[in-house]
């Protein structure tokens, strides 16, 4: 009997060892394939940042690419802190829900109950409408002077919100939905009024501390933030420091820094019920017909429920995809404006689920039309861009006609792997491009048609709208 029992235990132990070895080998294989997927973007300089893929608490992939500081050539690491832009909204929403649990507000309270002096036309707007973007508030970040004035000088959240007092609502409150950062900046001000604390401190005590997050916090550009990445944009074919956004101009809507580890931990803490009560969690992920809950987009991908949010803010791009039924979280944080965050996340999701890729990227024709023109990518080399249907078309010196599909609103790829990333100014103008082909990456500024003809010393056979 003892011998038989020993044999059984030995067989079981061997089986467990083999199972564990197989699982480790599968994870190593996934990490290698994920790295191979990301490398072309990193090599070309299109992506610089950090990525994590975590399933049921097990890290399948965790790696950083590129530089956190180009002036000192300091590399990004998995511990680097990035601005997470609109991923901030789910933390703001959680703080409002926590205050609701404490009986200090109700989601159906009019916002005017908590902030004095709002315009009379805003009276019907409730906190819930601010949270799910059904309030009808114009987006303050779309104002012409947002990048040049508001984002650089705002001193308080209410000073930012007040810039909309003279604007008409986009629609009667509650009758439709349109994404607006304004609502979340107002929510941050309401959190400050109710708690009597600065937004960052209130958020820490209400949400971050209960979730056990230590690397997530205020992205105030004036503060000293350890391990913070600098943000970069491209202009006329060269990298430049992105203009920082002052704290008040993004408070509640895009005002946090975080890491890939903290954001993965946030999912585990939130979905396990460690932060919010079941009723609050249900409210956060309830779709009232717009594909949006409270601070989260609610949809499907690869046949699975997908709860997600992306973010973009001067010099940074981010996304967190959460597949709640699979315990799968994918985080992409980048410190370049060219980062195709959603494409990377969805391609990694397809890899993890062994499914055909679905990126869900669509760029409106008017945006593609803005990119049409000529770009100098060498002493006598020119690339011309135009639109054909819903595709961006590239032609040029020594370049066969290429049709490209979007990987973000400014990055496009052809079937042969050639990628083009556009340099975009805050007003939407393209001023240059990065052209990544098998022979290497080339960059250059936008030029006019006359200059294009002159530097190629011949009349171009193709025409692009000026």
């Amino acid at each position: 009997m003892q011998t038989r029992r020993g044999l059984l235990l030995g067989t079981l132990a061997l089986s467990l060892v083999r199972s564990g070895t197989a699982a480790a080998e599968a994870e190593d294989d996934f990490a290698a394939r994920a790295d191979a997927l990301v490398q072309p973007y990193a090599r070309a300089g299109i992506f610089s940042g950090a990525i994590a893929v975590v399933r049921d608490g097990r890290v399948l992939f965790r790696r950083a690419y590129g530089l956190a500081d180009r002036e000192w050539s300091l590399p990004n690491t998995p511990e680097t802190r990035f601005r997470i832009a609109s991923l901030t909204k789910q933390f703001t929403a959680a703080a409002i829900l926590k205050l609701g649990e404490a009986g200090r507000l109700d989601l159906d309270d009019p916002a005017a109950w908590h902030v004095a002096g709002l315009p009379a036309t805003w009276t019907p707007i409730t906190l819930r409408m601010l949270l799910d973007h059904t309030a009808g508030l114009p987006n303050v970040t779309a104002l012409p002077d947002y990048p040049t004035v508001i984002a650089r000088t705002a001193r308080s959240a209410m000073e930012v919100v007040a810039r909309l007092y003279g604007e008409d609502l986009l629609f009667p409150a509650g009758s439709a939905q349109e994404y607006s950062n304004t609502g979340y900046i107002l929510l941050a001000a309401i959190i400050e009024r109710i708690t009597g604390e600065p937004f960052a401190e209130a958020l820490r005590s209400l949400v971050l501390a209960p979730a056990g997050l230590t690397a997530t916090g205020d992205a105030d550009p004036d503060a000293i933030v350890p391990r913070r990445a600098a943000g970069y944009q491209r202009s006329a074919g060269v990298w430049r420091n992105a203009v920082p956004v002052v704290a008040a101009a993004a408070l509640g809507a895009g005002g946090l820094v975080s890491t890939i580890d903290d954001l993965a931990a946030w999912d585990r803490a939130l979905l396990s019920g460690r932060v919010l009560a079941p009723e609050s969690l249900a409210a956060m992920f309830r779709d009232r017909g717009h594909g949006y809950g409270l601070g989260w987009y609610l949809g499907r991908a690869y046949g699975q429920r997908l709860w997600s949010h992306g973010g973009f803010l001067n010099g940074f791009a981010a996304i967190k995809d959460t597949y709640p039924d699979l315990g799968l979280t994918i985080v992409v944080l980048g410190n370049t404006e060219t980062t195709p965050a959603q494409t990377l996340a969805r391609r990694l999701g397809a890899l993890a689920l062994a499914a055909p890729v679905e990126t869900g990227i669509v760029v409106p024709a008017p945006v593609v039309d803005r990119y049409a023109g000529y770009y100098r990518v060498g002493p006598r080399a020119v690339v011309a861009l135009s639109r054909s249907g819903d595709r961006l078309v590239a032609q040029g010196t020594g370049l066969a006609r290429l049709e490209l599909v979007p990987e973000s609103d400014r990055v496009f790829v052809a079937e042969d792997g050639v990628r083009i990333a556009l340099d975009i100014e805050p007003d939407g103008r393209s001023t240059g491009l990065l052209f990544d082909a098998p022979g290497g990456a080339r960059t250059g500024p936008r030029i006019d048609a006359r200059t294009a003809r002159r530097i190629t010393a011949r009349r171009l056979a193709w025409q692009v709208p000026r």
Side-chain angles (χ1 to χ4, degrees), residues 376-383 396-398 442 452-458:
R376 183 174 188 164
V377 294
R380 301 184 69 81
V382 173
V383 170
T397 311
R442 292 176 286 168
R453 291 185 174 88
R454 177 176 57 78
I455 66 174
T456 55
R458 64 183 175 84

Side-chain angles (χ1 to χ4, degrees), residues 282-297:
M284 175 172 269
F285 295 110
R286 183 176 298 122
D287 184 355
R288 297 202 299 162
H290 303 293
Y292 199 90
L294 308 182
W296 296 71
Y297 283 99

Side-chain angles (χ1 to χ4, degrees), residues 53 60 183 253 288 315 331 379 437 440 449:
V53 180
L60 304 182
R288 297 202 299 162
V331 184

Side-chain angles (χ1 to χ4, degrees), residues 83-458:
R83 291 203 75 151
I84 62 171
S86 286
L87 270 69
T88 299
K89 291 180 173 66
Q90 57 197 249
F91 293 94
T92 302
I96 289 289
L97 289 166
K98 288 286 284 187
L99 290 172
E101 291 174 8
R104 304 179 75 176
L105 58 79
D106 186 274
L107 294 188
D108 294 314
D109 287 349
W113 286 8
H114 299 283
V115 179
L118 297 181
T121 54
W122 295 19
T123 301
I125 295 174
T126 66
L127 302 184
R128 193 188 303 274
M129 293 175 190
L130 298 176
L131 288 164
D132 67 7
H133 303 291
T134 58
L137 292 179
N139 196 344
V140 68
T141 58
L143 293 179
D145 65 344
Y146 181 84
T148 56
V149 179
I150 301 172
R152 299 191 188 192
T153 62
R155 293 181 296 274
S156 71
M158 286 311 300
E159 181 183 72
V160 177
V161 173
R163 299 297 293 265
L164 278 305
Y165 284 2
E167 302 287 334
D168 292 334
L169 293 181
L170 300 176
F171 46 80
S175 66
Q177 196 227 29
E178 184 167 328
Y179 189 89
S180 176
N181 288 295
T182 310
Y184 274 80
I185 298 173
L186 179 54
L187 287 166
I190 290 171
I191 290 170
E192 291 186 331
R193 297 288 176 91
I194 291 175
T195 64
E197 298 178 323
F199 175 73
E201 293 180 17
L203 192 68
R204 177 154 301 283
S205 60
L206 289 168
V207 174
L208 302 181
L213 307 186
T214 58
T216 303
D218 192 0
D220 184 353
D222 292 334
I224 302 298
V225 179
R227 303 187 306 278
R228 188 209 313 239
Y232 297 97
Q233 66 176 124
R234 291 183 55 81
S235 179
V238 297
W239 288 109
R240 297 186 180 277
N241 289 306
V243 176
V245 175
V246 298
L251 201 67
L256 294 180
V257 294
S258 191
T259 65
I260 54 174
D261 293 337
D262 252 26
L263 290 174
W266 166 243
D267 270 10
R268 293 195 298 275
L270 184 66
L271 300 185
S272 69
R274 206 162 76 230
V275 180
L276 295 175
E279 309 82 50
S280 296
L281 205 58
M284 175 172 269
F285 295 110
R286 183 176 298 122
D287 184 355
R288 297 202 299 162
H290 303 293
Y292 199 90
L294 308 182
W296 296 71
Y297 283 99
L298 309 177
R300 298 186 67 83
Y302 309 120
Q304 303 290 332
R305 287 195 299 169
L306 173 63
W307 298 343
S308 179
H309 215 296
F312 181 84
L313 188 71
N314 298 18
F316 295 90
I319 195 168
K320 179 165 64 64
D321 280 356
T322 304
Y323 296 85
D325 301 320
L326 303 177
L328 178 65
T329 295
I330 300 171
V331 184
V332 178
L333 302 180
N335 63 323
T336 63
E337 292 187 358
T338 55
T339 294
Q342 183 169 319
T343 288
L344 286 170
R346 301 295 154 80
R347 290 188 67 187
L348 288 165
L351 188 64
L353 301 176
V357 175
E358 303 170 8
T359 63
I361 303 293
V362 177
V363 179
V367 175
V368 179
D369 286 338
R370 287 205 300 265
Y371 302 153
Y374 301 98
Y375 300 82
R376 183 174 188 164
V377 294
R380 301 184 69 81
V382 173
V383 170
L385 300 183
S386 61
R387 180 173 64 85
S388 176
D390 60 351
R391 299 290 183 92
L392 183 69
V393 175
Q395 295 174 270
T397 311
L399 176 68
R401 184 179 188 274
L402 293 175
E403 289 194 358
L404 304 103
V405 295
E407 294 189 310
S408 76
D409 64 344
R410 64 187 65 195
V411 179
F412 297 79
V413 64
E415 285 187 2
D416 63 358
V418 170
R419 279 188 177 82
I420 289 178
L422 279 301
D423 304 345
I424 309 297
E425 296 300 310
D427 61 4
R429 291 177 299 114
S430 64
T431 60
L433 60 69
L434 184 155
F435 182 87
D436 181 50
R442 292 176 286 168
T443 65
R446 184 169 185 158
I447 57 177
D448 59 35
R450 180 176 298 179
T451 302
R453 291 185 174 88
R454 177 176 57 78
I455 66 174
T456 55
R458 64 183 175 84

